[in-house]
Amino acid sequence: MATRAHCLVLAYPAQGHINPMLQFSKLLERQGVRITLVTTRFYYNNLQTVPPSIALETISDGFDNGGPKEAGGFKPYLERFWEVGPLTFSELLEKHGGSKHVDCVVYDSFFSWAPEVAKRFGIVGAAYLTQNMAVNSIYYHVHLGKLQVPLKQHQFSLPAMPKLYLQDMPSFFFGEDFTFLDFVVSQFSSIHKADWILCNTFYDLDKEIADWIVKVWPQFKTIGPNIPSFFLDKQWEDDQDYGVTEFKSEEHCMEWLDEKPKGSVVYVSFGSMASFGEEQMEEIAWCLRECSSYFLWVVRASEETKLPKDFERKTEKGLVVKWCSQLKVLAHEAVGCFVTHCGWNSTLETLCLGVPTVAVPYWSDQNTNAKLVSEVWKTGTRAVVDEKKVVRRETLKHCINEIMNGCREMKNNAIQWRSLAVRAVTEGGSSYENIKEFVNNLWHS
């Protein structure tokens, strides 16, 4: 071929969105596609690293110096971003010569304006769904008007889905989160304009709903799990991290893990955005102190002041770090359990590495993910909150002990899902073949 196909990958400026899209970009790159990753100017300035083989470009969200904080709130941030983003993305496409030099735009589905901009330049577009298909289906049914807000019933039956209850629904249906709900639902206002619809999941994990949705969206494909190869199929031994991060890892935690017996450590991390109150942090802290297991707890710098004043950050039994390589930790044989907020990336990672989980959902899609983990895939248990929406230490301790001191079923299920995830991305697997088909279509689009 005379020239390589060129994809612009437009990612929403949050680590949980950029990481899987960047991993997908690496898979395309290995099949000969040239990649340019596009993010906002503010987010670009805060990145720690970017893979050298992938070009980087920026657009404006209207707040180049401070991002969402400069906007003073999510709603004004989005309003300005949705005005400025399409204009500056159009300028970027002009700079790259439109369809002469860009063959495809792979865009985060949150950018409902992206397919219209791409079409204006005669460029095909692929929507990339960063959440799982159960959550996408819930939001899609709101878009269709088949789920009414506010929710008035206590249980919900959607096509190809397990029965859902109020506690299983995304947090955006409740309280003051309606702005977020409008935002996540709006991604489906233009989904029909996409030439491909790609989702970071694998067929076996979402089989029933994938079969249902392809009848609605014939262009739908599962292309996940999009995590570094070293932890999945080991096809590329040097692919050991996503290649971009907001936070710097404290690598000494791996040395600490090396000293611990197999399956003896509880790993606790709530991702890059969850921010629990002091009461919840205190309950977690005392649970970990009282548990018989070792623990490794990630507490971001912004959350450290919520720790109890006499809680030691490093002991023989436990270690508190600001950040670490989650994949390396989950892959370590010393880890026997993962206490997680159940963000989709963390959920996929723990499924791919065969580690059973305790789900402590915080917001967004995490309630639904926790439902799937505990009741559908059966790789973990969900910690129940009290009337103040706090998981108490005794509850959390019971969940941890259930995994660490027994329950072979969860551990066996976790190992089986790992095998299916690996199978999906190896030659002949569903995701492997879908990515291959996507790349072949690029050459002929």
Side-chain angles (χ1 to χ4, degrees):
M1 298 175 185
T3 58
R4 297 167 68 192
H6 182 201
C7 272
L8 257 58
V9 178
L10 177 62
Y12 187 80
Q15 184 163 313
H17 289 252
I18 284 184
N19 277 353
M21 293 192 76
L22 186 58
Q23 199 60 34
F24 178 61
S25 298
K26 292 181 196 173
L27 296 175
L28 297 182
E29 191 179 37
R30 288 183 184 118
Q31 295 205 30
V33 179
R34 185 160 63 94
I35 300 293
T36 298
L37 180 69
V38 183
T39 187
T40 61
R41 290 164 192 161
F42 170 74
Y43 197 84
Y44 168 80
N45 291 330
N46 287 276
L47 292 179
Q48 296 284 335
T49 56
V50 178
S53 62
I54 291 177
L56 192 62
E57 292 277 11
T58 61
I59 60 172
S60 179
D61 57 9
F63 302 98
D64 295 345
N65 297 317
K69 285 186 180 177
E70 184 185 348
F74 186 68
K75 191 172 182 179
Y77 175 71
L78 275 188
E79 287 173 351
R80 182 65 178 149
F81 195 169
W82 262 227
E83 289 175 8
V84 175
L87 298 174
T88 54
F89 188 53
S90 293
E91 291 169 2
L92 180 62
L93 289 174
E94 284 179 5
K95 170 185 165 183
H96 280 270
S99 61
K100 292 181 180 177
H101 300 289
V102 176
D103 298 284
C104 178
V105 171
V106 178
Y107 61 92
D108 191 311
S109 59
F110 280 9
F111 291 124
S112 53
W113 45 262
E116 193 64 45
V117 175
K119 292 279 186 286
R120 212 158 53 231
F121 285 85
I123 301 170
V124 296
Y128 184 103
L129 298 161
T130 57
Q131 296 177 318
N132 70 46
M133 285 313 300
V135 173
N136 292 326
S137 178
I138 290 170
Y139 294 145
Y140 181 59
H141 280 87
V142 176
H143 167 69
L144 294 176
K146 295 183 179 179
L147 263 181
Q148 301 291 333
V149 181
L151 300 173
K152 293 182 180 175
Q153 64 266 53
H154 295 286
Q155 62 180 44
F156 311 88
S157 296
L158 298 176
M161 294 262 285
K163 194 173 290 294
L164 300 171
Y165 298 88
L166 280 174
Q167 68 267 23
D168 305 323
M169 300 298 279
S171 69
F172 299 157
F173 283 95
F174 312 105
E176 300 174 359
D177 281 347
F178 285 143
T179 297
F180 293 102
L181 181 63
D182 289 343
F183 171 56
V184 292
V185 169
S186 70
Q187 67 187 302
F188 298 106
S189 63
S190 62
I191 199 79
H192 60 284
K193 297 178 181 177
D195 296 283
W196 297 283
I197 300 171
L198 313 173
C199 186
N200 184 24
T201 187
F202 56 101
Y203 177 72
D204 285 309
L205 199 61
D206 276 329
K207 191 179 297 184
E208 291 81 7
I209 196 163
D211 287 342
W212 176 80
I213 204 70
V214 80
K215 296 172 186 173
V216 182
W217 305 332
Q219 66 275 51
F220 173 78
K221 303 288 181 185
T222 56
I223 44 83
N226 292 155
I227 75 166
S229 171
F230 180 80
F231 302 98
L232 198 56
D233 59 350
K234 298 191 182 297
Q235 193 170 349
W236 295 282
E237 291 285 324
D238 60 339
D239 184 22
Q240 298 192 26
D241 57 45
Y242 290 101
V244 59
T245 181
E246 293 176 74
F247 308 105
K248 190 172 182 180
S249 295
E250 296 182 43
E251 293 302 332
H252 66 276
C253 67
M254 301 308 297
E255 298 170 9
W256 184 87
L257 282 173
D258 289 340
E259 299 169 356
K260 303 298 177 280
K262 183 177 180 179
S264 66
V265 177
V266 177
Y267 170 54
V268 185
S269 179
F270 302 111
S272 60
M273 293 182 70
S275 181
F276 289 117
E278 286 186 20
E279 188 174 8
Q280 181 64 87
M281 291 290 280
E282 187 172 329
E283 291 295 320
I284 295 167
W286 296 138
C287 164
L288 295 176
R289 177 180 279 186
E290 293 169 12
C291 271
S292 58
S293 303
Y294 297 106
F295 68 87
L296 171 63
W297 187 9
V298 176
V299 180
R300 301 189 312 274
S302 60
E303 303 297 294
E304 281 189 310
T305 57
K306 299 175 186 176
L307 288 171
K309 287 185 171 54
D310 59 346
F311 190 79
E312 294 183 64
R313 286 164 171 74
K314 185 177 182 181
T315 65
E316 166 59 24
K317 184 183 171 187
L319 178 65
V320 178
V321 297
K322 293 183 177 70
W323 198 251
C324 64
S325 168
Q326 182 157 290
L327 284 163
K328 288 180 182 177
V329 170
L330 288 173
H332 200 287
E333 68 173 10
V335 173
C337 172
F338 181 22
V339 180
T340 171
H341 61 310
C342 271
W344 183 233
N345 290 329
S346 291
T347 301
L348 264 185
E349 288 169 5
T350 193
L351 285 167
C352 291
L353 288 162
V355 180
T357 61
V358 175
V360 184
Y362 175 71
W363 78 318
S364 186
D365 60 331
Q366 295 156 20
N367 289 331
T368 313
N369 297 340
K371 160 85 169 188
L372 297 171
V373 163
S374 60
E375 297 182 30
V376 178
W377 305 323
K378 297 183 178 179
T379 57
T381 184
R382 180 175 182 170
V384 178
V385 297
D386 66 6
E387 65 282 353
K388 293 177 71 176
K389 304 296 184 187
V390 172
V391 175
R392 295 297 167 185
R393 68 189 75 176
E394 289 302 325
T395 300
L396 187 56
K397 196 193 309 182
H398 173 77
C399 291
I400 290 172
N401 288 338
E402 186 181 1
I403 291 174
M404 296 298 282
N405 301 324
C407 202
R408 292 299 311 169
E409 182 188 6
M410 291 182 200
K411 295 177 182 178
N412 290 338
N413 288 341
I415 291 168
Q416 286 174 11
W417 281 115
R418 169 172 167 75
S419 297
L420 291 169
V422 171
R423 189 175 75 179
V425 297
T426 50
E427 191 165 352
S430 56
S431 294
Y432 177 92
E433 293 302 324
N434 286 339
I435 293 170
K436 191 175 173 184
E437 181 186 346
F438 176 73
V439 172
N440 287 338
N441 285 334
L442 271 186
W443 295 113
H444 299 103
S445 63

